[in-house]
Every structure is written in structure tokens, then in C-alpha cells.
Amino acid sequence: MSSGISYKSRGVGPALVFLHGVGGGAESWDAQLAFFGDRFRALAWDMPGYGGSAPAAPADFPQWAEALAAWLDEIDVERCVLVGHSIGGMIAQQFMTRHAHRVTRLVLSATSPAFGRLDGDFQRDFIRSRIGPLDDGKTMSDLAAQFIPGLVGADADPEGIRNAVSTMSRVAPQTYRDAMQALVRFDLRDWLASIGVPTLLVAGEHDKAAPAKVMERMAEKIPDARYACAAGAGHLANMERPEVFNAILAEFLEA
């Protein structure tokens, strides 16, 4: 039975699996597939509901984590280095709660172990700001043009920004709505101490969505973790500063 997941792949060798963010897709990792494809079997999925991947029901983190496991089974990946960005980092954490034996190393980029209570003021304001424009008739292209510039640091790579805007523009509105609703319910803070593999946390120096100080504190709660800051980057370090991000990841993989 097919997992229903579309993906991009480059190279052969140990599996290096990339999970994108809420406005992303497999294309978000093009710079990483090109860079690491000569040493790894570098793979980037379209999470359920994105790109050519079938939606998951329910659209929540446990279901997405199981979809990840099924996809890895389908493509014959028993164990991998798992790299998750933003909501992809949350899926990676959820995956670790049931499938930790399949992960040799873990990389969490621009993410968090929790978003907070669904009924909190911050969460309500966040949902309103991100989904409200769709309710007002805006398109995903409109949202991409509105939000991407505020997610990146100064002097971001122009090609990376074009990629980010183009990819977010193609996200289905319902998929985006579902992901945002799931995001504010996520909370695995109590699981951080249970992560038992070498872990790298990467923060963008100017990231306002997943601030560097928050990620540094997150690293302190994971037993075998190290923290790195991507100089000059905002929330999309892998696209806006790919050379910086790739160098940080390569150093971790070679340690």
C-alpha cells in the first residue's frame, strides 16, 4: 500500500531526511539536496497535504509522524539522520516519541517543543493573523508576499526568497489552515529529556518566530544536544543563508 507521499531525492549513502515548514515543501530543501547529495541519500518530503502528497486524516502531529514512518518504510529507509524545520521540527519531535530507534541523529531548526494553549490570547491572535487573510479573500500567493519578507534577515539570498515565496504560494489553503490549527496545540516539552540521540538545534540569529534564546534554552533540556546560531538568518536559514546552514549541518554530521 502506497504511503501517498511525494518527495525529492538526490545521491546515495546513509539517509538524510528533511522535513519542511508550514509554508514549505520538498523544494524548500533544494540547496541542501544539492550540497549533501554527494555524501548521503538526501531526501525531502512533501508532508501530507503538501505538493503531491495525500492529506492525512486527522491532520495532526501523531498522524503526520505515522505518515513519516510509513513513507520511510516504503522507500526502504530503516534508519536516518532526521532534519526538521519549524513545523517539520515538531513532526520530528513527535516521531521520536514512537520511532526513536529509527533516528541516528536529530536536527531541529527554527522550531519549538510547544506553542501554547489553544485558548490563549497569543494563540488566538496568531491564528487570526495567519488565517484571517484567507477568510478575507486573500490567496496563498498574497500570504506568501505578505509574510515571507518578515521571516527572513537582512541580505537574504534572493534565489532562496523566490523559492520560499513560490513554494508557499502553492500550498493548498485548507492544508495551511489545518497545519496552523495543529501548530497551536503542539506541546512535547516533557519529552525533551527523553531524546537519546546526538541532537543539533539551529536557530536564526534574527528569527522572531523561534527566537535564538528560546532554542538555546531548548537545547539545554536535551541530554546530548548542541546549539548553533545561523549568523544573519531569520526563520528560513536553510533557504536564505544556505551556505551558513549547510556548514553548520555538515560540521554536526562529521563530528
Side-chain angles (χ1 to χ4, degrees):
M1 182 176 180
S2 172
S3 67
I5 295 295
S6 61
Y7 64 97
K8 301 183 76 170
S9 177
R10 186 161 178 171
V12 296
L16 177 60
V17 175
F18 295 96
L19 313 179
H20 62 79
V22 71
E27 297 86 354
S28 302
W29 299 104
D30 281 352
Q32 285 67 50
L33 297 189
F35 185 84
F36 290 101
D38 62 345
R39 288 162 284 174
F40 293 89
R41 183 187 179 191
L43 299 146
W45 81 338
D46 288 313
M47 68 179 278
Y50 287 74
S53 295
D60 61 19
F61 286 95
Q63 191 69 23
W64 292 330
E66 292 311 306
L68 175 58
W71 170 57
L72 294 178
D73 288 342
E74 182 177 78
I75 60 175
D76 296 321
V77 172
E78 183 176 350
R79 303 187 76 204
C80 67
V81 176
L82 189 59
V83 182
H85 172 79
S86 195
I87 199 172
M90 295 175 174
I91 294 173
Q93 293 173 67
Q94 187 75 51
F95 187 78
M96 292 292 293
T97 66
R98 293 194 61 186
H99 303 284
H101 61 285
R102 304 189 68 166
V103 179
T104 58
R105 290 181 177 232
L106 178 66
V107 181
L108 302 174
S109 169
T111 192
S112 168
F115 204 92
R117 302 189 328 273
L118 184 61
D119 59 349
D121 290 340
F122 173 80
Q123 287 71 28
R124 283 196 298 269
D125 291 344
F126 178 84
I127 290 293
R128 189 179 302 115
S129 69
R130 294 304 192 270
I131 294 180
L134 292 176
D135 296 332
D136 294 336
K138 300 292 186 181
T139 66
M140 287 301 298
S141 294
D142 295 328
L143 266 65
Q146 176 181 346
F147 291 128
I148 295 297
L151 291 175
V152 301
D155 301 320
D157 177 65
E159 181 57 33
I161 300 311
R162 283 192 290 271
N163 184 7
V165 171
S166 174
T167 304
M168 184 173 178
S169 297
R170 294 194 299 273
V171 176
Q174 189 59 52
T175 293
Y176 181 77
R177 289 176 183 273
D178 290 343
M180 284 296 172
Q181 294 289 353
L183 183 66
V184 298
R185 295 192 294 269
F186 182 76
D187 189 344
L188 285 181
R189 284 172 289 192
D190 292 341
W191 277 89
L192 292 180
S194 300
I195 295 176
V197 298
T199 302
L200 171 67
L201 285 86
V202 184
E205 180 183 9
H206 304 299
D207 190 351
K208 298 176 183 177
K213 289 184 178 179
V214 173
M215 290 208 68
E216 189 170 15
R217 290 197 296 270
M218 182 180 174
E220 293 171 355
K221 298 178 181 179
I222 299 173
D224 187 10
R226 65 185 71 181
Y227 164 81
C229 184
H235 189 62
L236 306 176
N238 58 302
M239 288 188 278
E240 59 178 294
R241 297 275 175 135
E243 296 86 357
V244 173
F245 184 90
N246 291 347
I248 290 171
L249 179 54
E251 181 179 3
F252 175 66
L253 295 176
E254 293 164 5

